[in-house]
Amino acid sequence: MNLEGRVALVTGAAQGIGRAIALALAEAGADIAGGDVKLEQLQAVAKEIEALGRKGLALPLDVSSPDSVKAAVDKILEVFGKIDVLVNNAGITKDNLLMRMKPEDWDLVLRVNLNGAFLCTRAVLPGMVKQRYGRIINIASVVAQAGNAGQANYVASKAGIIGLTKAVAAEVGSRNITVNAVAPGFIATAMTENLPEAVRQRMLSLIPLGRMGTDHNIACGVRFLASEEASYITGHVLNINGGMYMA
Ligand code: NAD
């Protein structure tokens, strides 16, 4: 899979799955712009990208803010001249049972996880349409399809991501832009490291492959969807979940 000459924007690239995606795309030859609210960590990732012989740009980015998204995309266009690949990866959780869920926690998760993908997609599309090329990959979750108690806001945001993926895929297919989602299962990152042991064991018991996934497992799927080899795949949800949910 060769991404030489391509420029990718990866949101939430400072750690975890986003960092792994940024590195995997750089290994395949792409120059990378990473955006995150954790700028210092992101700058360290940009150095890792440069060590791979690619350009790495670290940008302050809050995907829930239209102004911040516009500023980041303008900067990438100024530095690299184009964006070929967008990975909408930034995401958060604010878990609680629905009856106890604060409206502000509902709003925040929807704003970051779903509005963020909308804003970034809207910001990069004019350039992709003009150049008649684009790859958009949205990070969903297994829970979007399977549901999960205690995560109504997160599940709704990720189900929204799948709907967004299919709608935009239908809108921009004629411009040679593909739009797909990757739905990770239970992946070992900061997001999952503080789960109570009982929950961890229950989740593991649901996974036929019997282990948590790695951020690299997810990055490999994203790299494939960004590649020429995936040029006839659009509107698809790629499950990378060890068999936890078989759609
Ligand atoms: P993580 O918490 O390690 O990383 C998330 C990154 O997003 C962080 O760097 C964080 O600073 C950044 N971020 C948060 N809010 C932001 C904002 N407003 N603007 C820009 N950046 C922001 O989590 P992760 O496990 O690497 O998750 C990455 C993606 O994968 C998320 O969308 C998550 O929902 C999804 N996912 C994770 C799992 C899992 O098991 N870890 C499973 C399914 C889906």
mmCIF file of all heavy atoms in Angstrom, residues 11-18 35-38 41 61-64 88-93 112-113 139-142 154 158 183-192 212 215, ligand 1:
data_model
loop_
_atom_site.group_PDB
_atom_site.id
_atom_site.type_symbol
_atom_site.label_atom_id
_atom_site.label_comp_id
_atom_site.label_asym_id
_atom_site.label_seq_id
_atom_site.Cartn_x
_atom_site.Cartn_y
_atom_site.Cartn_z
ATOM 1 N N THR A 11 -7.322 13.455 13.028
ATOM 2 C CA THR A 11 -7.731 14.177 14.241
ATOM 3 C C THR A 11 -7.526 13.273 15.459
ATOM 4 O O THR A 11 -7.611 12.043 15.365
ATOM 5 C CB THR A 11 -9.199 14.641 14.158
ATOM 6 O OG1 THR A 11 -10.068 13.507 14.256
ATOM 7 C CG2 THR A 11 -9.481 15.407 12.876
ATOM 8 N N GLY A 12 -7.232 13.910 16.596
ATOM 9 C CA GLY A 12 -6.996 13.126 17.820
ATOM 10 C C GLY A 12 -5.753 12.261 17.693
ATOM 11 O O GLY A 12 -5.727 11.117 18.151
ATOM 12 N N ALA A 13 -4.705 12.821 17.075
ATOM 13 C CA ALA A 13 -3.516 12.018 16.741
ATOM 14 C C ALA A 13 -2.456 12.011 17.842
ATOM 15 O O ALA A 13 -1.391 11.418 17.673
ATOM 16 C CB ALA A 13 -2.905 12.525 15.431
ATOM 17 N N ALA A 14 -2.730 12.639 18.974
ATOM 18 C CA ALA A 14 -1.701 12.764 20.014
ATOM 19 C C ALA A 14 -1.399 11.447 20.723
ATOM 20 O O ALA A 14 -0.323 11.278 21.297
ATOM 21 C CB ALA A 14 -2.111 13.815 21.044
ATOM 22 N N GLN A 15 -2.336 10.506 20.683
ATOM 23 C CA GLN A 15 -2.125 9.245 21.423
ATOM 24 C C GLN A 15 -3.042 8.166 20.861
ATOM 25 O O GLN A 15 -3.892 8.429 20.008
ATOM 26 C CB GLN A 15 -2.417 9.445 22.918
ATOM 27 C CG GLN A 15 -3.887 9.793 23.192
ATOM 28 C CD GLN A 15 -4.156 10.075 24.671
ATOM 29 O OE1 GLN A 15 -3.371 10.769 25.322
ATOM 30 N NE2 GLN A 15 -5.250 9.550 25.196
ATOM 31 N N GLY A 16 -2.876 6.962 21.382
ATOM 32 C CA GLY A 16 -3.810 5.868 21.110
ATOM 33 C C GLY A 16 -3.983 5.550 19.630
ATOM 34 O O GLY A 16 -3.017 5.520 18.855
ATOM 35 N N ILE A 17 -5.223 5.317 19.251
ATOM 36 C CA ILE A 17 -5.529 4.884 17.886
ATOM 37 C C ILE A 17 -5.128 5.954 16.862
ATOM 38 O O ILE A 17 -4.587 5.638 15.803
ATOM 39 C CB ILE A 17 -7.038 4.528 17.790
ATOM 40 C CG1 ILE A 17 -7.331 3.261 18.615
ATOM 41 C CG2 ILE A 17 -7.472 4.344 16.347
ATOM 42 C CD1 ILE A 17 -8.813 2.939 18.799
ATOM 43 N N GLY A 18 -5.360 7.230 17.185
ATOM 44 C CA GLY A 18 -5.023 8.305 16.245
ATOM 45 C C GLY A 18 -3.530 8.365 15.974
ATOM 46 O O GLY A 18 -3.100 8.526 14.823
ATOM 47 N N GLY A 35 -4.045 16.772 14.315
ATOM 48 C CA GLY A 35 -4.710 17.816 15.093
ATOM 49 C C GLY A 35 -5.199 17.237 16.400
ATOM 50 O O GLY A 35 -5.720 16.117 16.431
ATOM 51 N N ASP A 36 -4.996 18.002 17.490
ATOM 52 C CA ASP A 36 -5.421 17.476 18.790
ATOM 53 C C ASP A 36 -5.487 18.627 19.799
ATOM 54 O O ASP A 36 -4.831 19.658 19.604
ATOM 55 C CB ASP A 36 -4.436 16.395 19.285
ATOM 56 C CG ASP A 36 -5.078 15.408 20.256
ATOM 57 O OD1 ASP A 36 -5.518 15.839 21.346
ATOM 58 O OD2 ASP A 36 -5.174 14.224 19.933
ATOM 59 N N VAL A 37 -6.245 18.426 20.872
ATOM 60 C CA VAL A 37 -6.245 19.398 21.960
ATOM 61 C C VAL A 37 -4.991 19.231 22.833
ATOM 62 O O VAL A 37 -4.649 20.135 23.589
ATOM 63 C CB VAL A 37 -7.531 19.274 22.836
ATOM 64 C CG1 VAL A 37 -8.742 19.817 22.092
ATOM 65 C CG2 VAL A 37 -7.775 17.842 23.288
ATOM 66 N N LYS A 38 -4.317 18.085 22.732
ATOM 67 C CA LYS A 38 -3.088 17.854 23.502
ATOM 68 C C LYS A 38 -1.889 18.139 22.604
ATOM 69 O O LYS A 38 -1.321 17.231 21.990
ATOM 70 C CB LYS A 38 -3.050 16.397 23.981
ATOM 71 C CG LYS A 38 -4.139 16.065 24.989
ATOM 72 C CD LYS A 38 -4.061 14.622 25.441
ATOM 73 C CE LYS A 38 -5.156 14.303 26.436
ATOM 74 N NZ LYS A 38 -5.335 12.858 26.646
ATOM 75 N N GLN A 41 1.873 16.537 23.374
ATOM 76 C CA GLN A 41 1.959 15.112 22.994
ATOM 77 C C GLN A 41 1.962 14.962 21.477
ATOM 78 O O GLN A 41 2.660 14.126 20.916
ATOM 79 C CB GLN A 41 0.731 14.368 23.540
ATOM 80 C CG GLN A 41 0.987 13.620 24.836
ATOM 81 C CD GLN A 41 -0.276 12.928 25.298
ATOM 82 O OE1 GLN A 41 -0.918 13.414 26.219
ATOM 83 N NE2 GLN A 41 -0.647 11.826 24.687
ATOM 84 N N LEU A 61 -6.050 21.670 17.666
ATOM 85 C CA LEU A 61 -7.353 21.475 17.021
ATOM 86 C C LEU A 61 -8.376 20.977 18.036
ATOM 87 O O LEU A 61 -8.156 19.967 18.706
ATOM 88 C CB LEU A 61 -7.238 20.452 15.879
ATOM 89 C CG LEU A 61 -8.553 19.987 15.243
ATOM 90 C CD1 LEU A 61 -9.263 21.148 14.533
ATOM 91 C CD2 LEU A 61 -8.298 18.855 14.235
ATOM 92 N N ASP A 62 -9.466 21.716 18.137
ATOM 93 C CA ASP A 62 -10.638 21.233 18.873
ATOM 94 C C ASP A 62 -11.707 20.977 17.815
ATOM 95 O O ASP A 62 -12.291 21.922 17.263
ATOM 96 C CB ASP A 62 -11.105 22.283 19.886
ATOM 97 C CG ASP A 62 -12.398 21.877 20.581
ATOM 98 O OD1 ASP A 62 -12.967 20.814 20.233
ATOM 99 O OD2 ASP A 62 -12.846 22.626 21.470
ATOM 100 N N VAL A 63 -11.972 19.703 17.536
ATOM 101 C CA VAL A 63 -12.876 19.371 16.419
ATOM 102 C C VAL A 63 -14.304 19.860 16.647
ATOM 103 O O VAL A 63 -15.075 19.955 15.702
ATOM 104 C CB VAL A 63 -12.890 17.852 16.121
ATOM 105 C CG1 VAL A 63 -11.540 17.378 15.614
ATOM 106 C CG2 VAL A 63 -13.360 17.039 17.325
ATOM 107 N N SER A 64 -14.639 20.172 17.894
ATOM 108 C CA SER A 64 -16.007 20.623 18.169
ATOM 109 C C SER A 64 -16.197 22.115 17.879
ATOM 110 O O SER A 64 -17.313 22.626 17.964
ATOM 111 C CB SER A 64 -16.388 20.322 19.624
ATOM 112 O OG SER A 64 -15.635 21.137 20.502
ATOM 113 N N ASN A 88 -11.306 10.976 10.694
ATOM 114 C CA ASN A 88 -12.043 11.547 11.827
ATOM 115 C C ASN A 88 -11.962 10.561 12.983
ATOM 116 O O ASN A 88 -12.763 9.629 13.095
ATOM 117 C CB ASN A 88 -13.499 11.798 11.432
ATOM 118 C CG ASN A 88 -13.662 13.028 10.578
ATOM 119 O OD1 ASN A 88 -13.160 14.101 10.913
ATOM 120 N ND2 ASN A 88 -14.356 12.883 9.461
ATOM 121 N N ASN A 89 -10.947 10.776 13.825
ATOM 122 C CA ASN A 89 -10.661 9.825 14.906
ATOM 123 C C ASN A 89 -10.918 10.405 16.294
ATOM 124 O O ASN A 89 -11.202 9.648 17.224
ATOM 125 C CB ASN A 89 -9.185 9.381 14.792
ATOM 126 C CG ASN A 89 -8.689 8.714 16.053
ATOM 127 O OD1 ASN A 89 -8.971 7.545 16.307
ATOM 128 N ND2 ASN A 89 -7.972 9.470 16.897
ATOM 129 N N ALA A 90 -10.829 11.729 16.462
ATOM 130 C CA ALA A 90 -10.958 12.325 17.801
ATOM 131 C C ALA A 90 -12.272 11.874 18.438
ATOM 132 O O ALA A 90 -13.325 11.914 17.799
ATOM 133 C CB ALA A 90 -10.918 13.848 17.709
ATOM 134 N N GLY A 91 -12.187 11.447 19.685
ATOM 135 C CA GLY A 91 -13.410 10.996 20.353
ATOM 136 C C GLY A 91 -13.228 10.970 21.854
ATOM 137 O O GLY A 91 -12.106 10.867 22.363
ATOM 138 N N ILE A 92 -14.341 11.081 22.563
ATOM 139 C CA ILE A 92 -14.325 11.053 24.028
ATOM 140 C C ILE A 92 -15.492 10.207 24.538
ATOM 141 O O ILE A 92 -16.431 9.919 23.787
ATOM 142 C CB ILE A 92 -14.444 12.469 24.648
ATOM 143 C CG1 ILE A 92 -15.740 13.158 24.165
ATOM 144 C CG2 ILE A 92 -13.232 13.320 24.309
ATOM 145 C CD1 ILE A 92 -16.084 14.409 24.950
ATOM 146 N N THR A 93 -15.412 9.832 25.808
ATOM 147 C CA THR A 93 -16.553 9.188 26.480
ATOM 148 C C THR A 93 -16.904 10.002 27.728
ATOM 149 O O THR A 93 -16.025 10.637 28.338
ATOM 150 C CB THR A 93 -16.216 7.748 26.933
ATOM 151 O OG1 THR A 93 -15.010 7.794 27.708
ATOM 152 C CG2 THR A 93 -16.022 6.813 25.761
ATOM 153 N N VAL A 112 -18.187 16.556 20.233
ATOM 154 C CA VAL A 112 -16.830 16.122 19.835
ATOM 155 C C VAL A 112 -16.917 14.986 18.805
ATOM 156 O O VAL A 112 -16.330 15.052 17.725
ATOM 157 C CB VAL A 112 -16.006 15.678 21.074
ATOM 158 C CG1 VAL A 112 -14.667 15.084 20.635
ATOM 159 C CG2 VAL A 112 -15.795 16.853 22.026
ATOM 160 N N ASN A 113 -17.666 13.939 19.134
ATOM 161 C CA ASN A 113 -17.601 12.718 18.316
ATOM 162 C C ASN A 113 -18.343 12.851 16.979
ATOM 163 O O ASN A 113 -17.882 12.322 15.972
ATOM 164 C CB ASN A 113 -18.193 11.532 19.080
ATOM 165 C CG ASN A 113 -17.414 11.205 20.344
ATOM 166 O OD1 ASN A 113 -16.496 11.922 20.728
ATOM 167 N ND2 ASN A 113 -17.780 10.122 21.001
ATOM 168 N N ILE A 139 -13.888 7.021 12.417
ATOM 169 C CA ILE A 139 -13.743 5.978 13.431
ATOM 170 C C ILE A 139 -15.039 5.888 14.234
ATOM 171 O O ILE A 139 -15.398 6.807 14.982
ATOM 172 C CB ILE A 139 -12.530 6.240 14.355
ATOM 173 C CG1 ILE A 139 -11.249 6.425 13.519
ATOM 174 C CG2 ILE A 139 -12.382 5.081 15.335
ATOM 175 C CD1 ILE A 139 -10.874 5.269 12.603
ATOM 176 N N ALA A 140 -15.738 4.776 14.052
ATOM 177 C CA ALA A 140 -17.000 4.521 14.759
ATOM 178 C C ALA A 140 -16.692 3.667 15.979
ATOM 179 O O ALA A 140 -15.695 3.881 16.679
ATOM 180 C CB ALA A 140 -17.984 3.846 13.804
ATOM 181 N N SER A 141 -17.513 2.666 16.256
ATOM 182 C CA SER A 141 -17.267 1.744 17.372
ATOM 183 C C SER A 141 -18.207 0.560 17.247
ATOM 184 O O SER A 141 -19.325 0.689 16.721
ATOM 185 C CB SER A 141 -17.521 2.441 18.714
ATOM 186 O OG SER A 141 -17.510 1.474 19.754
ATOM 187 N N VAL A 142 -17.768 -0.569 17.774
ATOM 188 C CA VAL A 142 -18.627 -1.761 17.819
ATOM 189 C C VAL A 142 -19.957 -1.464 18.522
ATOM 190 O O VAL A 142 -20.998 -2.006 18.176
ATOM 191 C CB VAL A 142 -17.877 -2.933 18.508
ATOM 192 C CG1 VAL A 142 -17.546 -2.607 19.961
ATOM 193 C CG2 VAL A 142 -18.692 -4.217 18.442
ATOM 194 N N TYR A 154 -22.414 8.156 23.848
ATOM 195 C CA TYR A 154 -21.325 7.665 22.991
ATOM 196 C C TYR A 154 -21.874 6.781 21.868
ATOM 197 O O TYR A 154 -21.491 6.921 20.698
ATOM 198 C CB TYR A 154 -20.342 6.895 23.873
ATOM 199 C CG TYR A 154 -19.120 6.369 23.164
ATOM 200 C CD1 TYR A 154 -18.053 7.210 22.841
ATOM 201 C CD2 TYR A 154 -19.010 5.013 22.841
ATOM 202 C CE1 TYR A 154 -16.928 6.710 22.206
ATOM 203 C CE2 TYR A 154 -17.888 4.516 22.208
ATOM 204 C CZ TYR A 154 -16.841 5.361 21.891
ATOM 205 O OH TYR A 154 -15.725 4.868 21.251
ATOM 206 N N LYS A 158 -21.689 7.444 17.831
ATOM 207 C CA LYS A 158 -21.009 6.522 16.911
ATOM 208 C C LYS A 158 -21.986 5.948 15.886
ATOM 209 O O LYS A 158 -21.597 5.678 14.740
ATOM 210 C CB LYS A 158 -20.303 5.413 17.698
ATOM 211 C CG LYS A 158 -19.153 5.918 18.567
ATOM 212 C CD LYS A 158 -18.064 6.573 17.732
ATOM 213 C CE LYS A 158 -16.834 6.949 18.546
ATOM 214 N NZ LYS A 158 -15.780 7.560 17.719
ATOM 215 N N ALA A 183 -15.003 0.351 12.550
ATOM 216 C CA ALA A 183 -15.646 0.177 13.856
ATOM 217 C C ALA A 183 -14.772 -0.710 14.747
ATOM 218 O O ALA A 183 -14.819 -1.943 14.647
ATOM 219 C CB ALA A 183 -17.034 -0.446 13.670
ATOM 220 N N PRO A 184 -13.950 -0.076 15.595
ATOM 221 C CA PRO A 184 -13.100 -0.883 16.481
ATOM 222 C C PRO A 184 -13.931 -1.574 17.561
ATOM 223 O O PRO A 184 -14.973 -1.064 17.982
ATOM 224 C CB PRO A 184 -12.172 0.152 17.138
ATOM 225 C CG PRO A 184 -12.322 1.415 16.350
ATOM 226 C CD PRO A 184 -13.708 1.366 15.782
ATOM 227 N N GLY A 185 -13.415 -2.712 18.007
ATOM 228 C CA GLY A 185 -14.019 -3.393 19.157
ATOM 229 C C GLY A 185 -13.407 -2.870 20.441
ATOM 230 O O GLY A 185 -13.399 -1.662 20.693
ATOM 231 N N PHE A 186 -12.846 -3.779 21.240
ATOM 232 C CA PHE A 186 -12.307 -3.459 22.563
ATOM 233 C C PHE A 186 -10.791 -3.339 22.402
ATOM 234 O O PHE A 186 -10.086 -4.344 22.278
ATOM 235 C CB PHE A 186 -12.702 -4.603 23.487
ATOM 236 C CG PHE A 186 -12.444 -4.375 24.946
ATOM 237 C CD1 PHE A 186 -12.534 -3.125 25.532
ATOM 238 C CD2 PHE A 186 -12.139 -5.458 25.770
ATOM 239 C CE1 PHE A 186 -12.312 -2.939 26.885
ATOM 240 C CE2 PHE A 186 -11.918 -5.293 27.123
ATOM 241 C CZ PHE A 186 -12.001 -4.034 27.669
ATOM 242 N N ILE A 187 -10.301 -2.090 22.387
ATOM 243 C CA ILE A 187 -8.898 -1.823 22.021
ATOM 244 C C ILE A 187 -8.144 -1.269 23.233
ATOM 245 O O ILE A 187 -8.675 -0.406 23.950
ATOM 246 C CB ILE A 187 -8.837 -0.793 20.859
ATOM 247 C CG1 ILE A 187 -9.768 -1.193 19.713
ATOM 248 C CG2 ILE A 187 -7.401 -0.620 20.374
ATOM 249 C CD1 ILE A 187 -9.498 -2.528 19.066
ATOM 250 N N ALA A 188 -6.940 -1.754 23.442
ATOM 251 C CA ALA A 188 -6.130 -1.326 24.601
ATOM 252 C C ALA A 188 -5.564 0.073 24.364
ATOM 253 O O ALA A 188 -4.571 0.237 23.652
ATOM 254 C CB ALA A 188 -4.994 -2.320 24.828
ATOM 255 N N THR A 189 -6.232 1.086 24.901
ATOM 256 C CA THR A 189 -5.742 2.475 24.843
ATOM 257 C C THR A 189 -6.121 3.150 26.167
ATOM 258 O O THR A 189 -6.763 2.535 27.027
ATOM 259 C CB THR A 189 -6.398 3.297 23.704
ATOM 260 O OG1 THR A 189 -7.778 3.492 24.020
ATOM 261 C CG2 THR A 189 -6.260 2.626 22.357
ATOM 262 N N ALA A 190 -5.785 4.453 26.271
ATOM 263 C CA ALA A 190 -6.131 5.210 27.485
ATOM 264 C C ALA A 190 -7.642 5.175 27.731
ATOM 265 O O ALA A 190 -8.098 5.190 28.881
ATOM 266 C CB ALA A 190 -5.655 6.652 27.341
ATOM 267 N N MET A 191 -8.419 5.103 26.633
ATOM 268 C CA MET A 191 -9.877 5.139 26.776
ATOM 269 C C MET A 191 -10.413 3.929 27.541
ATOM 270 O O MET A 191 -11.442 3.984 28.182
ATOM 271 C CB MET A 191 -10.527 5.217 25.385
ATOM 272 C CG MET A 191 -11.994 5.535 25.400
ATOM 273 S SD MET A 191 -12.680 5.749 23.736
ATOM 274 C CE MET A 191 -12.520 7.501 23.504
ATOM 275 N N THR A 192 -9.704 2.801 27.449
ATOM 276 C CA THR A 192 -10.205 1.563 28.063
ATOM 277 C C THR A 192 -9.379 1.118 29.272
ATOM 278 O O THR A 192 -9.727 0.141 29.934
ATOM 279 C CB THR A 192 -10.194 0.417 27.018
ATOM 280 O OG1 THR A 192 -8.908 0.397 26.380
ATOM 281 C CG2 THR A 192 -11.276 0.617 25.971
ATOM 282 N N MET A 212 -7.898 -8.345 23.737
ATOM 283 C CA MET A 212 -8.176 -6.987 23.290
ATOM 284 C C MET A 212 -7.408 -6.727 22.000
ATOM 285 O O MET A 212 -6.371 -7.345 21.750
ATOM 286 C CB MET A 212 -7.725 -5.962 24.345
ATOM 287 C CG MET A 212 -8.553 -5.989 25.608
ATOM 288 S SD MET A 212 -7.939 -4.796 26.825
ATOM 289 C CE MET A 212 -8.681 -3.275 26.214
ATOM 290 N N ASP A 215 -3.986 -0.720 18.975
ATOM 291 C CA ASP A 215 -4.195 0.457 18.114
ATOM 292 C C ASP A 215 -3.669 0.185 16.698
ATOM 293 O O ASP A 215 -4.223 0.643 15.711
ATOM 294 C CB ASP A 215 -3.590 1.729 18.739
ATOM 295 C CG ASP A 215 -2.156 1.567 19.216
ATOM 296 O OD1 ASP A 215 -1.473 0.618 18.778
ATOM 297 O OD2 ASP A 215 -1.707 2.408 20.019
HETATM 298 P P1 NAD B 1 -7.772 8.177 23.417
HETATM 299 O O1 NAD B 1 -8.547 8.840 24.493
HETATM 300 O O2 NAD B 1 -6.501 7.488 23.742
HETATM 301 O O3 NAD B 1 -7.453 9.240 22.251
HETATM 302 C C1 NAD B 1 -8.387 10.180 21.799
HETATM 303 C C2 NAD B 1 -7.637 11.390 21.273
HETATM 304 O O4 NAD B 1 -8.620 12.366 20.844
HETATM 305 C C3 NAD B 1 -6.781 12.071 22.351
HETATM 306 O O5 NAD B 1 -5.517 12.376 21.841
HETATM 307 C C4 NAD B 1 -7.578 13.319 22.690
HETATM 308 O O6 NAD B 1 -6.780 14.397 23.161
HETATM 309 C C5 NAD B 1 -8.215 13.629 21.349
HETATM 310 N N1 NAD B 1 -9.370 14.522 21.486
HETATM 311 C C6 NAD B 1 -10.337 14.494 22.433
HETATM 312 N N2 NAD B 1 -11.192 15.515 22.265
HETATM 313 C C7 NAD B 1 -10.759 16.221 21.182
HETATM 314 C C8 NAD B 1 -11.218 17.377 20.503
HETATM 315 N N3 NAD B 1 -12.307 18.050 20.915
HETATM 316 N N4 NAD B 1 -10.524 17.806 19.419
HETATM 317 C C9 NAD B 1 -9.420 17.156 19.006
HETATM 318 N N5 NAD B 1 -8.926 16.064 19.610
HETATM 319 C C10 NAD B 1 -9.599 15.599 20.684
HETATM 320 O O7 NAD B 1 -8.802 7.188 22.722
HETATM 321 P P2 NAD B 1 -8.611 6.046 21.612
HETATM 322 O O8 NAD B 1 -8.972 4.776 22.245
HETATM 323 O O9 NAD B 1 -7.314 6.186 20.896
HETATM 324 O O10 NAD B 1 -9.828 6.443 20.657
HETATM 325 C C11 NAD B 1 -9.672 6.939 19.335
HETATM 326 C C12 NAD B 1 -11.001 6.773 18.611
HETATM 327 O O11 NAD B 1 -11.344 5.389 18.569
HETATM 328 C C13 NAD B 1 -12.185 7.486 19.297
HETATM 329 O O12 NAD B 1 -13.038 8.027 18.327
HETATM 330 C C14 NAD B 1 -12.856 6.339 20.040
HETATM 331 O O13 NAD B 1 -14.219 6.621 20.262
HETATM 332 C C15 NAD B 1 -12.654 5.209 19.072
HETATM 333 N N6 NAD B 1 -12.796 3.878 19.662
HETATM 334 C C16 NAD B 1 -11.959 3.431 20.633
HETATM 335 C C17 NAD B 1 -12.140 2.144 21.164
HETATM 336 C C18 NAD B 1 -11.263 1.563 22.231
HETATM 337 O O14 NAD B 1 -11.571 0.457 22.706
HETATM 338 N N7 NAD B 1 -10.213 2.228 22.658
HETATM 339 C C19 NAD B 1 -13.185 1.347 20.692
HETATM 340 C C20 NAD B 1 -14.014 1.834 19.703
HETATM 341 C C21 NAD B 1 -13.802 3.099 19.186
#
